[in-house]
């Protein structure tokens, strides 16, 4: 099959490319594999049960992208979506964005998300001139915290009792990296 337009190689044949409303059937199939694994850690609106639900998620992102807001990218292993990364928020005027991620269980532990988020950060800082990239997760989401730290982000503090899941409340941690910190950490930078 010819490779798709606008895709970037991540590793092991897995590519990153924009997720659009017409990908709803593949996204719904992926959601069937990912649902139980991601539900405690991502916003409830993201965890859908039907193709129409999947399409609504992708349409929400498409509408935001058309306004230079949020964006979503799938990690594709051939014709199968195995996870993805997104700009949860993107404010070019203020130079601030937030990145997020998810994987289905079989894709965990391969370094796919760290590499993909690094690509989003590179685009945000280099091409879009952003000043600050944020990461927010439950404080007990150790795999998510590890990604923020691997990417050179700093913890800015904990939003106490600000995440609700299954009738319980959890703390949320905010991480960020500033443009100058990202520049300084790049190979070859002074
Ligand atoms: C958060 C989540 C995406 C992290 O997945 P992950 O696989 O740990 O993250 P990465 O894709 O960056 O992979 C890093 C892991 O791959 C390993 N790895 C293997 N090959 C690698 C390579 N070539 N390069 C880098 N890391 C590699 C790393 O050692 C690390 O594993 P370790 O933590 O056991 O040491 C995943 O746990 C998930 O989907 N959770 C549920 C949804 C969620 O929490 N989303 C985030 C909400 S804030």
């Amino acid at each position: 099959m010819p490779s798709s337009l606008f895709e970037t190689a991540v590793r092991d044949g897995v590519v990153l490319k924009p997720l659009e409303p017409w990908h709803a059937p593949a996204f719904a199939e992926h959601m069937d594999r990912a649902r139980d694994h991601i539900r405690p850690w991502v916003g409830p609106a993201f965890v859908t049960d039907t193709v129409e639900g999947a399409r609504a998620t992708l349409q929400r992102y498409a509408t935001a992208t058309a306004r230079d807001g949020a964006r979503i990218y799938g990690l594709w292993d051939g014709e199968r979506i195995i996870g993805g990364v997104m700009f949860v928020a993107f404010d070019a005027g203020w130079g601030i964005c937030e990145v997020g991620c998810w994987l289905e269980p079989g894709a965990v532990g391969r370094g796919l998300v760290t590499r993909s988020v690094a690509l989003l950060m590179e685009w945000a800082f280099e091409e879009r001139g952003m000043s600050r990239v944020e990461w927010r997760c439950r404080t007990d989401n150790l795999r998510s915290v590890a990604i923020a730290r691997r990417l050179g982000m700093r913890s800015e503090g904990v939003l106490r009792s600000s995440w609700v899941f299954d009738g319980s409340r959890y703390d949320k941690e905010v991480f960020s990296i500033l443009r100058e910190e990202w520049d300084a950490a790049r190979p070859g930078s002074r």
Side-chain angles (χ1 to χ4, degrees):
M1 197 177 118
S3 66
S4 153
L5 281 175
F6 313 124
E7 69 181 35
T8 303
V10 178
R11 64 166 49 95
D12 304 333
V14 175
V15 301
L16 193 64
K17 63 179 177 183
L19 269 180
E20 298 177 6
W22 64 277
H23 295 129
F27 190 56
E29 283 175 21
H30 160 66
M31 204 42 73
D32 285 343
R33 295 185 294 270
R35 190 177 297 112
D36 293 344
H37 172 65
I38 67 174
R39 201 193 291 278
W41 316 107
V42 305
F46 192 73
V47 187
T48 55
D49 298 323
T50 61
V51 174
E52 281 323 302
R55 197 185 314 280
T57 301
L58 300 181
Q59 185 58 57
R60 247 190 344 267
Y61 273 95
T63 302
T65 302
R67 297 187 180 126
D68 200 20
R71 293 166 190 268
I72 190 165
Y73 304 85
L75 280 159
W76 293 77
D77 189 355
E79 311 234 326
R80 183 177 156 123
I81 300 169
I82 57 173
V85 292
M86 70 274 257
F87 287 106
V88 179
F90 195 92
D91 186 331
W94 280 64
I96 298 173
C97 60
E98 179 189 343
V99 284
C101 69
W102 80 97
L103 288 172
E104 61 184 51
V108 173
R110 297 165 59 186
L112 295 170
V113 164
T114 299
R115 172 79 187 125
S116 300
V117 174
L119 289 167
L120 294 197
M121 283 167 51
E122 185 174 341
W123 184 79
F125 284 130
E126 290 277 309
E127 191 153 342
R128 301 302 310 275
M130 301 300 266
S131 297
R132 169 184 164 90
V133 176
E134 298 179 355
W135 183 268
R136 291 163 190 256
C137 63
R138 272 174 54 171
T139 49
D140 59 343
N141 192 346
L142 302 184
R143 283 198 167 267
S144 184
V145 169
I147 293 171
R149 296 206 181 282
R150 268 198 296 272
L151 289 168
M153 295 187 174
R154 291 190 194 175
S155 174
E156 294 185 323
V158 171
L159 307 176
R160 295 175 301 155
S161 195
S162 64
W163 186 270
V164 181
F165 172 67
D166 208 13
S168 298
R169 306 194 69 89
Y170 298 86
D171 293 345
K172 198 157 83 173
E173 191 157 355
V174 181
F175 295 84
S176 76
I177 183 165
L178 305 184
R179 181 189 186 80
E180 52 271 29
E181 293 164 348
W182 184 78
D183 276 344
R186 303 199 79 197
S189 64
R190 283 179 293 160

